[in-house]
């Protein structure tokens, strides 16, 4: 083993220069494919992916020749991360190439899928099917969109996914991980991560159960009681979203006090001729008000902020890109002029702000402190932006009153985005971790998926499902192989961050009315955390910003306390659902 520290430093300097180049090349090829899906672009992207995987293998091998015990903590941390190369650890080149092909094939199937509501009427997810879920209250039209999308994705993906699991597990076992799920969880450092997440979910369930009861009651008045199974589940296609993961589209139907002015600013955005650019400039302006780093020139020249109109296929699911050269950072989003896309723009720009803040770190530290941190940045800003006061200050809301009813209505609108999401954010990787560990066999994929959907989310399939369906494949992150527990973590810690930043800004009052706009104290505190990237354990960074070193649902519970009191009163004992799915056979559903 090489014991020479200066040799180790030289190795790191070379690694950073070379790895940045390799990352840049792969990002460019990946971007070209994502913004123009063709076989040729897919082939180029896969060539660059193989080159990047081989570079990682070589770097990990070379790094393993250095004696870590003679290094300081920061240098050792870099070497450990250089050797942690994930599925690139597959030494059989044929299998390595095959894994890449399967992953890009799954992403292509999902991103080019269209749901056929009628023989010649086949619609893509963005914007068409998404708009149907946002605007339609037609029970049968929603079923057609819901079923059509799953027919267009699941069956084509199921076998590919089975192969993907086998190849990925085999690859990460070379690094000593039990399976891909174990490798993903290892990014949170703490060994009790799984238990912590389960505990947080259990703590938050009452909030969700009461919101679910309120939604079910209101939906029964819209669609009629006979459309709801006696088990207490809500049919999954009635919650204003393809996956029932956020219910904000139903805010006008769900607000407790309907007489008040609508909190949905989408009509006002359309009325003011908002464009995608204006949406992103609004987000950029907020970061600048905090004294944080503005979007650099290449961001505005090279991003894809709208779905192309020249007919080419693109990956529409939003994402933020780091080209590892300190200046080129982009967002790809098929922006629609809606409030939800205004929030997503802040979410994506939060990723870019993180990239900008940690760009001078060694390459292996150019990551979130943990994946949940990366997902939380933009959402924290969006918590301030969405307050009625802030919406009024940017001219999207006109009358804002401070009475209790408006407060409860506002908390309901936020709960439809944040509380509604919690079981979904929790269950996706509960399902995937068991698939990777082998507990869930391919012929059980769909059954286990619906067991979790019925048990944790309290939603049921509106039409019969079978083992040839693969409904997990209808959600981007499964075919795109993107971990999901990061969003559950984010939805908890973003309220811890929000509380800490509100305190630093000198704000006094209820957390749900706090707007940190123009607070450079808050901006400085946030920037200091983001600059660290993954150079320190996330528990240290959490401690520095919030004063405690663990995930804590209390700030989230405090934020929604007035709403929970209202819901408990309204619901009495009329809340909850059977843990098992309702029987869908036609005779019993009446
Ligand atoms: O998927 C996203 C946003 C997309 C993303 O920004 O998280 C994107 C997903 C992605 C990952 C990997 C490849 C391609 C897409 N993640 C990133 O762009 C990203 C950037 C830096 C580090 C890690 C991920 N949101 C989730 C849920 C969600 C969390 N917060 C929200 C706020 C508003 C709306 C949705 C959400 C969803 O739509 O189900
Ligand atoms: Zn994200």
């Amino acid at each position: 083993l090489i014991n020479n520290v200066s040799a180790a430093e030289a190795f790191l300097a070379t690694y950073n220069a070379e790895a940045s180049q390799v990352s840049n090349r792969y990002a460019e090829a990946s971007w070209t494919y994502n913004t123009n899906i063709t076989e040729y672009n897919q082939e180029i992207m896969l060539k660059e992916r193989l080159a990047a995987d081989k570079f990682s293998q070589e770097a990990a091998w070379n790094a393993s020749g250095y004696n870590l015990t003679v290094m300081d903590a920061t240098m050792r941390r870099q070497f450990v991360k250089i050797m942690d190369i994930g599925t690139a650890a597959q030494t059989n080149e044929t299998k390595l190439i095959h894994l890449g092909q399967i992953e890009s094939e799954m992403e292509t199937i999902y991103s080019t899928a269209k749901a056929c509501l009628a023989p010649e009427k086949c619609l893509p997810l963005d914007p068409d099917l998404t708009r149907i879920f946002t605007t339609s209250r037609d029970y049968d039209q929603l079923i057609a969109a819901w079923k059509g999308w799953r027919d267009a994705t699941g069956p084509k993906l199921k076998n590919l996914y089975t192969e993907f699991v086998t190849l990925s597990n085999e690859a990460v076992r070379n690094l000593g991980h039990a399976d891909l799920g174990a490798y993903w969880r290892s990014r949170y450092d703490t060994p009790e991560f799984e238990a912590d997440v389960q505990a947080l979910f259990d703590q938050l369930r009452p909030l969700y159960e009461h919101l679910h009861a309120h939604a079910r009651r209101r939906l029964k008045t819209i669609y009629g009681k006979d459309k709801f199974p006696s088990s207490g589940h809500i049919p999954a296609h009635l919650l204003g979203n393809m996956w029932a993961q956020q219910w904000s589209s139903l805010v006008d139907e769900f607000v407790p006090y309907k007489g008040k002015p609508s909190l949905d600013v989408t009509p006002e955005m359309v009325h003011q001729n908002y464009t995608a650019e204006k949406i992103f400039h609004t987000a950029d302006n907020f970061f600048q008000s905090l004294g944080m780093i503005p979007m650099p020139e290449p961001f505005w020249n090279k991003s894809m902020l709208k779905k192309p109109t020249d007919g080419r296929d693109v990956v529409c699911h939003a994402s933020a890109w780091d080209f590892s050269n300190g200046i080129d950072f982009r967002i790809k989003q098929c922006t629609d002029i809606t409030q939800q896309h205004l929030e997503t723009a802040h979410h994506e720009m939060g990723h870019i702000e993180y990239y900008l803040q940690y760009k001078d770190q060694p390459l292996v530290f150019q990551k979130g402190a943990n994946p949940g941190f990366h997902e939380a940045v933009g959402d924290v800003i969006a918590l301030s932006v969405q307050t009625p006061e802030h919406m009024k200050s940017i001219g999207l809301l006109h009358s804002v009153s401070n009475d209790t009813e408006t407060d409860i209505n506002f908390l309901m609108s936020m709960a439809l985005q944040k509380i509604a999401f919690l079981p979904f954010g929790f269950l996706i990787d509960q399902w995937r971790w068991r698939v990777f560990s082998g507990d869930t066999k391919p012929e059980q994929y769909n059954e286990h998926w619906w067991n979790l959907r019925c048990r944790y989310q309290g939603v049921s399939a509106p039409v019969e499902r079978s083992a040839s369906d693969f409904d997990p494949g209808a959600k981007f992150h499964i075919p795109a192989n993107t971990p999901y527990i990061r969003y559950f973590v984010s939805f908890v810690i973003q309220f811890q961050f929000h509380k800490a930043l509100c305190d630093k800004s000198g704000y006094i009052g209820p957390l749900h009315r706090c707007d940190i706009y123009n607070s450079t104290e808050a901006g400085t505190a946030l920037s200091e955390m983001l600059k660290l990237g993954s150079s320190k354990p996330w528990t240290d960074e959490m401690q520095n910003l919030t004063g405690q070193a663990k995930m804590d649902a209390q700030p989230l519970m405090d934020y929604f306390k007035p709403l929970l009191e209202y819901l408990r009163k309204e619901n009495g004992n009329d809340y909850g659902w059977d843990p098992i799915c309702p029987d869908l056979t036609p005779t019993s559903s009446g």
Side-chain angles (χ1 to χ4, degrees):
L1 281 178
I2 302 169
N3 294 306
N4 179 326
V5 170
S6 56
E9 264 160 11
F11 170 79
L12 287 179
T14 309
Y15 172 81
N16 275 310
E18 289 176 356
S20 300
Q21 289 284 339
V22 170
S23 299
N24 175 267
R25 279 181 62 90
Y26 179 50
E28 286 282 10
S30 194
W31 176 268
T32 302
Y33 164 68
N34 269 257
T35 56
N36 185 9
I37 299 177
T38 64
E39 292 215 348
Y40 177 71
N41 288 338
Q42 184 179 23
E43 192 187 315
I44 301 290
M45 187 268 294
L46 288 173
K47 238 164 46 63
E48 289 302 334
R49 174 177 160 139
L50 179 61
D53 284 347
K54 286 181 162 179
F55 173 83
S56 302
Q57 286 176 0
E58 165 103 14
W61 170 251
N62 292 334
S64 65
Y66 289 82
N67 181 350
L68 302 189
T69 59
V70 302
M71 301 175 184
D72 69 27
T74 301
M75 187 181 278
R76 187 177 316 118
R77 191 176 176 83
Q78 288 184 68
F79 271 83
V80 166
K81 286 178 182 294
I82 290 170
M83 292 187 277
D84 173 16
I85 59 174
T87 53
Q90 171 61 265
T91 46
N92 176 311
E93 182 164 320
T94 310
K95 288 183 175 180
L96 189 59
I97 292 169
H98 192 45
L99 178 58
Q101 285 168 334
I102 289 176
E103 286 190 36
S104 72
E105 198 48 42
M106 292 197 294
E107 183 146 36
T108 300
I109 290 168
Y110 181 91
S111 296
T112 58
K114 289 181 169 48
C116 297
L117 311 189
E120 311 75 41
K121 196 182 168 203
C122 298
L123 303 175
L125 179 67
D126 296 300
D128 307 72
L129 298 177
T130 302
R131 284 179 182 163
I132 289 176
F133 275 92
T134 308
T135 57
S136 169
R137 302 291 176 261
D138 175 330
Y139 185 90
D140 294 322
Q141 184 189 29
L142 288 166
I143 284 220
W146 189 92
K147 184 180 184 320
W149 177 248
R150 282 157 182 78
D151 290 347
T153 50
K156 296 193 185 83
L157 290 164
K158 188 177 174 240
N159 294 336
L160 285 170
Y161 198 75
T162 305
E163 249 191 295
F164 156 77
V165 170
T166 308
L167 286 168
S168 299
N169 278 342
E170 193 180 305
V172 296
R173 280 174 186 141
N174 290 339
L175 299 172
H177 294 291
D179 57 56
L180 188 61
Y183 173 62
W184 284 3
R185 291 190 298 273
S186 71
R187 292 197 193 135
Y188 293 88
D189 295 335
T190 44
E192 62 284 341
F193 175 68
E194 239 184 295
D196 289 349
V197 161
Q198 180 69 54
L200 287 168
F201 181 65
D202 290 339
Q203 186 182 359
L204 293 163
R205 282 171 86 160
L207 206 38
Y208 179 76
E209 284 164 1
H210 281 287
L211 180 67
H212 176 279
H214 174 82
R216 182 177 56 200
R217 190 174 303 113
R218 287 293 174 94
L219 287 171
K220 283 180 175 176
T221 65
I222 298 171
Y223 293 103
K225 290 185 185 328
D226 63 313
K227 292 286 195 304
F228 293 76
S230 56
S231 57
H233 295 90
I234 298 176
H237 67 305
L238 299 180
L239 284 157
N241 176 278
M242 179 62 85
W243 309 277
Q245 73 177 65
Q246 285 170 312
W247 308 344
S248 312
S249 317
L250 293 155
V251 63
D252 289 338
E253 286 90 338
F254 286 2
V255 285
Y257 305 99
K258 288 194 161 185
K260 293 288 178 184
S262 170
L263 291 164
D264 178 2
V265 301
T266 300
E268 187 56 31
M269 289 172 71
V270 172
H271 175 69
Q272 294 184 21
N273 297 319
Y274 256 65
T275 60
E277 283 73 19
K278 171 129 171 92
I279 285 177
F280 284 92
H281 277 296
T282 303
D284 186 35
N285 171 268
F286 199 107
F287 282 104
Q288 294 192 42
S289 83
L290 300 174
M292 297 181 83
I293 305 171
M295 295 300 115
E297 194 54 36
F299 171 84
W300 300 108
N301 299 335
K302 298 184 163 190
S303 292
M304 185 197 94
L305 301 180
K306 286 188 290 293
K307 182 175 186 177
T309 51
D310 59 6
R312 72 181 124 126
D313 281 316
V314 298
V315 176
C316 257
H317 195 89
S319 53
W321 296 59
D322 182 348
F323 286 81
S324 303
N325 61 14
I327 184 68
D328 192 353
F329 306 90
R330 304 173 203 170
I331 285 174
K332 175 184 60 57
Q333 181 173 327
C334 296
T335 308
D336 208 358
I337 308 306
T338 68
Q339 177 162 4
Q340 288 179 52
H341 273 264
L342 178 66
E343 283 144 28
T344 303
H346 284 84
H347 176 91
E348 296 309 325
M349 198 168 281
H351 287 309
I352 303 287
E353 187 63 32
Y354 215 158
Y355 291 149
L356 290 165
Q357 293 283 349
Y358 62 46
K359 67 180 170 44
D360 301 319
Q361 285 284 352
L363 191 82
V364 288
F365 293 156
Q366 292 180 19
K367 285 218 182 291
N370 75 37
F373 275 56
H374 232 299
E375 299 307 330
V377 179
D379 285 15
V380 168
I381 302 305
L383 285 174
S384 285
V385 169
Q386 292 177 89
T387 58
E389 290 75 14
H390 192 87
M391 282 293 173
K392 183 165 185 282
S393 74
I394 59 176
L396 287 177
L397 266 186
H398 298 302
S399 60
V400 170
S401 44
N402 245 331
D403 57 74
T404 318
E405 294 178 348
T406 306
D407 228 30
I408 293 293
N409 279 0
F410 170 64
L411 283 171
M412 175 60 78
S413 76
M414 292 307 292
L416 297 178
Q417 191 196 127
K418 301 295 181 183
I419 304 302
F421 181 78
L422 295 172
F424 188 76
F426 178 73
L427 71 84
I428 288 204
D429 282 348
Q430 296 301 319
W431 176 82
R432 254 190 304 201
W433 291 343
R434 293 181 59 192
V435 165
F436 296 147
S437 71
D439 288 345
T440 296
K441 308 282 183 267
E443 53 278 2
Q444 300 165 313
Y445 280 172
N446 222 44
E447 179 198 347
H448 284 194
W449 171 259
W450 280 104
N451 289 349
L452 292 168
R453 289 267 273 174
C454 293
R455 181 161 158 232
Y456 289 132
Q457 217 180 344
V459 301
S460 55
V463 292
E464 194 99 30
R465 310 312 289 151
S466 79
S468 63
D469 290 311
F470 179 55
D471 293 337
K475 177 63 192 172
F476 173 81
H477 298 69
I478 304 283
N481 185 35
T482 304
Y484 209 82
I485 199 69
R486 57 179 60 174
Y487 301 106
F488 179 82
V489 168
S490 161
F491 275 48
V492 171
I493 65 176
Q494 66 187 243
F495 286 90
Q496 292 176 257
F497 294 166
H498 185 53
K499 182 179 183 322
L501 296 178
C502 289
D503 293 347
K504 287 188 195 303
S505 74
Y507 171 79
I508 308 279
L511 188 58
H512 65 274
R513 290 292 188 145
C514 167
D515 173 8
I516 61 170
Y517 189 70
N518 276 333
S519 167
T520 48
E521 297 84 357
T524 304
L526 182 57
S527 297
E528 267 156 26
M529 181 171 82
L530 301 185
K531 278 184 181 9
L532 294 171
S534 62
S535 63
K536 294 277 183 295
W538 68 265
T539 44
D540 293 0
E541 299 192 19
M542 175 72 87
Q543 171 81 40
N544 289 345
L545 183 70
T546 70
Q548 60 178 46
K550 62 182 177 54
M551 297 183 284
D552 178 8
Q554 202 52 53
L556 188 157
M557 306 275 281
D558 293 346
Y559 182 102
F560 287 105
K561 193 165 179 290
L563 181 69
L564 181 56
E565 282 162 6
Y566 168 86
L567 289 171
R568 282 192 190 284
K569 219 174 285 151
E570 184 203 34
N571 290 334
N573 278 330
D574 174 23
Y575 67 91
W577 57 88
D578 293 353
I580 55 167
C581 294
D583 179 351
L584 271 177
T585 45
T587 46
S588 72
S589 60

